[in-house]
Amino acid sequence: MPVSSFDLKRILRPNILKLEPYRCARDDYSEGILLDANENSYGPAYQVEISEGANGSEDLHISSGNNDLNLHRYPDPLGRKVKDRILKLRPSVPSVENIFLGVGSDEVIDMLVRITCTPGKDSILITPPTYGMYRVVANINDVNVVKVPLIVEGGEFQLNVDAVIQVAVDDPTIKIIWLCSPGNPTGTYLREEDVRRVLDSAFEGLVVIDEAYVDFVRADKGESYARLVREYPQLLVMQTMSKSFGLAGIRLGVGIGSRELVSYLNNAKAPYNVSTLSLSVATAALSDDGLQKMRGVMRGIQKQRD
């Protein structure tokens, strides 16, 4: 729809608009003598040495080192260091305030459904064959699933754009259109003209593009649609550390969208949803050296594939 006409508040659930978010200790302070979060000042218990004192009492001796990550402290609730590194990976993203971090892309999917779709009333639109979690999350949240299949003839696996737009515009219960590029399981990069047609249509909800495999796309074939976030406030692009970075075990997903949308996602998420361990590994993986290695692995995989 025309950018000037999009109103995010019109598609968010009323309770989300009224939500007073939980304010956690690390929102305000992260350095100094921290007594505001009831954290265990002895540090991780498994590192503590316990010995018997002179009167038979137990004396605690805290081992030095081995706690460089301050695991007895809560993590940064917004993962700011990781977001700073993501800006190097995706320089078209305006700022860290346009980035949401979740426990894998699955949490990003769930949060988007929960803040927009009223259970038992609203719907999402998917384009099968596609990633199965869109449907699963919708089912968990009692949200209807509308299907507009991809054009599959000749192995095209591209959007049936006219049908997607017509169905989405005609059904006011549809809050989100889910697109997957490159497709899972199709591997097809969606054409930019098709994506822009959906974004420029009269549909009043969110358009989400799942880019879990975007780093596998050759530069001459396409690039991340995160660059379109500047143009379209109704767009959110999902990415992940699981695929090209080979870090499925740290469970870190990324949502890139307007500052307003990201702020509502942050308000609704759990206070410390991404762990210190995950943030630490992600920070290292997104370093200059880490990015160079990831791109080298991608070149090798592309060569094997082609």
Side-chain angles (χ1 to χ4, degrees):
M1 69 182 305
V3 173
S4 60
S5 302
F6 179 72
D7 183 0
L8 177 61
K9 293 182 175 63
R10 190 164 52 194
I11 65 169
L12 294 178
R13 294 171 59 185
N15 59 305
I16 298 298
L17 292 172
K18 295 186 295 184
L19 177 67
E20 182 177 343
Y22 178 83
R23 187 160 187 83
C24 53
R26 294 293 80 82
D27 283 328
D28 298 312
Y29 304 102
S30 60
E31 298 177 347
I33 300 175
L34 303 174
L35 304 174
D36 55 349
N38 293 324
E39 296 158 325
N40 190 333
S41 60
Y42 283 105
Y46 77 95
Q47 293 180 338
V48 174
E49 296 178 1
I50 302 177
S51 60
E52 187 172 313
N55 299 320
S57 61
E58 289 184 340
D59 292 332
L60 300 182
H61 300 280
I62 303 173
S63 60
S64 60
N66 300 322
N67 189 27
D68 294 338
L69 295 179
N70 287 320
L71 294 179
H72 62 304
R73 299 293 187 189
Y74 287 109
D76 177 357
L78 297 178
R80 295 171 182 87
K81 289 183 179 179
V82 170
K83 292 179 179 181
D84 282 333
R85 298 288 177 90
I86 290 174
L87 292 180
K88 289 189 174 183
L89 173 65
R90 310 293 181 211
S92 64
V93 178
S95 74
V96 295
E97 294 179 350
N98 295 88
I99 301 172
F100 173 77
L101 300 181
V103 182
S105 294
D106 294 339
E107 185 183 21
V108 184
I109 295 169
D110 184 55
M111 291 304 304
L112 287 167
V113 170
R114 287 166 60 193
I115 69 172
T116 60
C117 296
T118 300
K121 174 184 175 183
D122 289 327
S123 309
I124 65 168
L125 186 151
I126 65 174
T127 58
T130 192
Y131 183 42
M133 278 304 292
Y134 313 141
R135 173 186 54 79
V136 171
V137 167
N139 290 343
I140 291 171
N141 287 282
D142 193 18
V143 170
N144 187 45
V145 179
V146 177
K147 300 177 182 179
V148 180
L150 296 173
I151 298 172
V152 299
E153 286 74 17
E156 186 174 359
F157 295 113
Q158 290 288 344
L159 295 177
N160 187 340
V161 185
D162 291 335
V164 168
I165 293 174
Q166 181 174 352
V167 170
V169 171
D170 289 348
D171 187 345
T173 71
I174 295 176
K175 294 293 189 69
I176 303 174
I177 295 175
W178 295 97
L179 307 179
C180 198
S181 179
N184 174 6
T186 66
T188 305
Y189 179 83
L190 297 180
R191 292 186 289 256
E192 182 166 342
E193 57 266 33
D194 293 346
V195 170
R196 285 186 177 272
R197 280 190 61 197
V198 175
L199 289 166
D200 289 329
S201 72
F203 175 61
E204 297 182 348
L206 294 179
V207 177
V208 181
I209 303 178
D210 187 343
E211 290 190 335
Y213 296 90
V214 71
D215 293 316
F216 294 83
V217 180
R218 287 190 176 278
D220 60 337
K221 300 294 185 181
E223 58 182 320
S224 171
Y225 284 120
R227 57 194 160 83
L228 299 186
V229 165
R230 290 179 180 269
E231 299 180 48
Y232 297 99
Q234 72 270 44
L235 173 64
L236 184 126
V237 175
M238 296 196 314
Q239 298 182 359
T240 179
M241 301 291 291
S242 296
K243 308 303 180 182
S244 59
F245 286 93
L247 291 172
I250 72 170
R251 308 306 302 129
L252 187 63
V254 179
I256 300 169
S258 72
R259 292 186 180 192
E260 185 182 21
L261 176 56
V262 168
S263 70
Y264 282 109
L265 290 169
N266 283 329
N267 287 349
K269 75 174 182 66
Y272 306 105
N273 58 326
V274 180
S275 75
T276 296
L277 296 172
S278 295
L279 293 172
S280 176
V281 173
T283 301
L286 289 162
S287 67
D288 292 342
D289 181 60
L291 292 178
Q292 182 178 3
K293 290 178 178 178
M294 180 274 285
R295 288 165 179 150
V297 171
M298 288 301 95
R299 288 193 294 272
I301 291 176
Q302 290 167 351
K303 185 176 181 181
Q304 292 175 0
R305 178 190 64 196
D306 300 340

